[in-house]
Amino acid sequence: MQIGIVGLPYSGKSTLFQTITKTLLDPSSMGRGETHQAIVKVPDARLQKLAEIFHTRSVVNATIEFVDVVGLKKGESGSTQFSTNFLASVKNNDTLVEVVRLFANDAVPHPDGSVDALRDIATFETEFILSDMAAIETRLDKIKRQIQKTGDEIAKKEQPVLEKCLAQLQQEKPLRDMEFTKEELFVMKTYQFLTLKPLLIALNGDESQLTSIDSIVEKIKATRQGKATKIVSFFGQIEMEMSELSDDDAKMFMGEYGITESALTTLIREAFDLLGLQAFFTAGEDECRAWTIRKGATAQEAAGAIHSDFVKTFIRAEVVPYKDYIAANGSMAKAKEAGAWRLEGKEYIVQEADVMEIRHS
Ligand SMILES: Nc1nc2c(ncn2[C@@H]2O[C@H](COP(=O)(O)OP(=O)(O)O)[C@@H](O)[C@H]2O)c(=O)[nH]1
Ligand SMILES: [Mg+2]
């Protein structure tokens, strides 16, 4: 999974990127506007616990790739220019984290002259809507000519889907708010529409907003409903300082500020939720590992996440819910005695945090 971090200049994207990926960017490279990418281990206390039981040699976390998407610049007219290049690099991501500035900082003036989260959110929405509309209009023109000329069957299927999308965008609404059938989504897949991507709006506050940020989030939530949009907050500067501390010191520091969860933990949890993803585990002395699958995936699909061959060679899955597995101290036999062990077929719907052993031929 690839998460793109977007936002206006000086909203705190690179600060967030450096904090969650624990990398330090060379300030000169930031000035050159290079795109930065890093793979991050999904922190998972449950996986650590499994590894402790087995004194496991190898612990493998699930991973997510984060991209600090650069390329937004102030245009000649004074407002931010959403270049074709920028929009193209946004398209490559599965989901977007949109950093919106709440903090005041006279040393780095906001590109639009004042701090106004709702305005910044609207700016992005409008630009993304216009970009999707332009792509659809160009494509519809082509398709209509094609249908007239050759009666192309694929084009005939595409036309109503694109028209449905266009109608929504013309009402200045993003595609992610709509319901689509599987078939429609399949047709739309190649376009990588920007307003279809799940959106996580991350409000970047500062020290003076530690106590008021929750009410700011609530206020913005009230105006921004939508099934694939979420709003969270974080404290860029504070987290940046924290990331330089040892884990224990960081915990103390967080406690002092009343921050209960790091930005990384929040972002990953919310992104998993937005994308409808969940984890399952495999555990043993050699390796404890977290795997990512979509919610509603079957045992057979889960096996396929481990190895594509397992889809065909799948026989049964031994399944124990995580809590019961820990209670049985990692012993399938003990879990069986406790009545928590099950042998499931390929249609079994995997539950969040199931510990599984795949039997295959
Ligand atoms: N006061 C304050 N300054 C911040 C915060 N987050 C970022 N900054 C500063 O804002 C400037 C721009 O941040 P940066 O992460 O480079 O923004 P980007 O342009 O979105 O990548 C830097 O000088 C940061 O130190 C914050 O939470 N509070
Ligand atoms: Mg930056």
Side-chain angles (χ1 to χ4, degrees):
M1 169 166 57
Q2 187 172 310
I3 300 184
I5 303 175
V6 300
L8 290 175
Y10 309 126
S11 54
K13 299 180 295 296
S14 298
T15 304
L16 178 66
F17 177 84
Q18 293 180 88
T19 309
I20 60 185
T21 63
K22 298 207 190 315
T23 47
L24 265 185
L25 297 175
D26 165 11
S28 71
S29 84
M30 288 163 75
R32 283 196 301 272
E34 287 165 9
T35 294
H36 307 280
Q37 290 175 247
I39 291 174
V40 174
K41 282 186 192 172
V42 176
D44 197 325
R46 299 166 302 188
L47 182 63
Q48 292 309 321
K49 183 102 191 168
L50 289 172
E52 277 166 29
I53 289 179
F54 288 102
H55 306 288
T56 306
R57 282 178 285 277
S58 162
V59 183
V60 186
N61 295 63
T63 57
I64 291 187
E65 182 158 20
F66 279 95
V67 183
D68 181 2
V69 186
V70 297
L72 269 190
K73 287 211 184 74
K74 228 176 150 108
E76 275 161 19
S77 65
S79 60
T80 308
Q81 261 183 344
F82 287 66
S83 67
T84 321
N85 269 350
F86 169 76
L87 295 167
S89 28
V90 178
K91 284 196 173 162
N92 291 327
N93 299 284
D94 301 307
T95 188
L96 303 177
V97 169
E98 184 178 314
V99 179
V100 176
R101 177 167 170 174
L102 288 183
F103 67 86
N105 184 345
D106 293 338
V108 271
H110 188 294
D112 292 331
S114 62
V115 173
D116 181 343
L118 284 174
R119 176 201 60 207
D120 294 351
I121 293 169
T123 298
F124 263 81
E125 184 122 298
T126 305
E127 293 291 343
F128 285 0
I129 285 175
L130 289 175
S131 166
D132 283 350
M133 271 172 85
I136 291 178
E137 281 164 351
T138 312
R139 181 67 192 155
L140 272 175
D141 274 351
K142 231 187 189 160
I143 283 182
K144 282 181 190 158
R145 267 184 277 133
Q146 212 173 345
I147 293 175
Q148 257 179 356
K149 252 206 246 156
T150 64
D152 189 286
E153 287 304 318
I154 295 172
K156 273 188 197 160
K157 269 197 193 136
E158 214 172 301
Q159 188 182 352
V161 181
L162 292 182
E163 279 168 351
K164 174 177 170 179
C165 292
L166 189 59
Q168 169 86 347
L169 297 166
Q170 280 166 342
Q171 293 176 53
E172 294 169 33
K173 286 183 191 153
L175 298 176
R176 70 175 74 83
D177 286 355
M178 295 181 85
E179 299 290 341
F180 291 104
T181 65
K182 253 188 189 162
E183 291 74 29
E184 287 172 330
L185 286 172
F186 185 77
V187 170
M188 292 158 70
K189 207 169 169 181
T190 51
Y191 296 102
Q192 298 184 296
F193 290 127
L194 295 169
T195 66
L196 188 60
K197 291 185 192 296
L199 180 67
L200 191 55
I201 295 174
L203 303 167
N204 184 10
D206 65 19
E207 266 188 75
S208 70
Q209 290 154 331
L210 277 165
T211 52
S212 60
I213 202 150
D214 287 346
S215 69
I216 300 175
V217 170
E218 286 312 313
K219 237 168 59 198
I220 292 176
K221 267 188 188 164
T223 68
R224 309 287 319 165
Q225 299 291 352
K227 66 184 169 70
T229 308
K230 284 190 168 232
I231 300 169
V232 296
S233 62
F234 71 105
F235 299 94
Q237 194 82 6
I238 297 176
E239 292 236 9
M240 183 82 177
E241 286 161 22
M242 236 161 49
S243 65
E244 288 153 20
L245 302 175
S246 71
D247 285 356
D248 284 343
D249 286 352
K251 253 190 208 140
M252 212 170 72
F253 196 71
M254 271 168 75
E256 276 171 24
Y257 278 112
I259 300 173
T260 49
E261 190 175 68
S262 74
L264 176 62
T265 313
T266 311
L267 289 186
I268 288 181
R269 191 195 50 238
E270 299 298 328
F272 263 58
D273 198 41
L274 266 179
L275 289 170
L277 299 173
Q278 64 176 358
F280 77 92
F281 301 106
T282 50
E285 275 165 31
D286 292 338
E287 185 183 87
C288 284
R289 186 160 181 165
W291 304 87
T292 307
I293 48 169
R294 58 177 190 87
K295 283 184 188 138
T298 62
Q300 189 180 28
E301 287 174 278
I306 298 175
H307 198 300
S308 53
D309 288 352
F310 290 180
V311 175
K312 273 198 194 133
T313 60
F314 181 94
I315 301 172
R316 287 258 185 286
E318 295 183 50
V319 182
V320 180
Y322 173 78
K323 272 201 183 120
D324 299 318
Y325 193 79
I326 296 293
N329 207 32
S331 156
M332 285 286 185
K334 269 195 201 154
K336 209 170 191 169
E337 278 170 31
W341 176 93
R342 295 188 316 266
L343 196 59
E344 298 281 7
K346 60 183 178 190
E347 300 299 334
Y348 168 69
I349 304 294
V350 179
Q351 301 297 303
E352 166 73 24
D354 273 349
V355 182
M356 304 221 287
E357 214 169 290
I358 307 294
R359 291 189 188 168
H360 57 96
S361 55

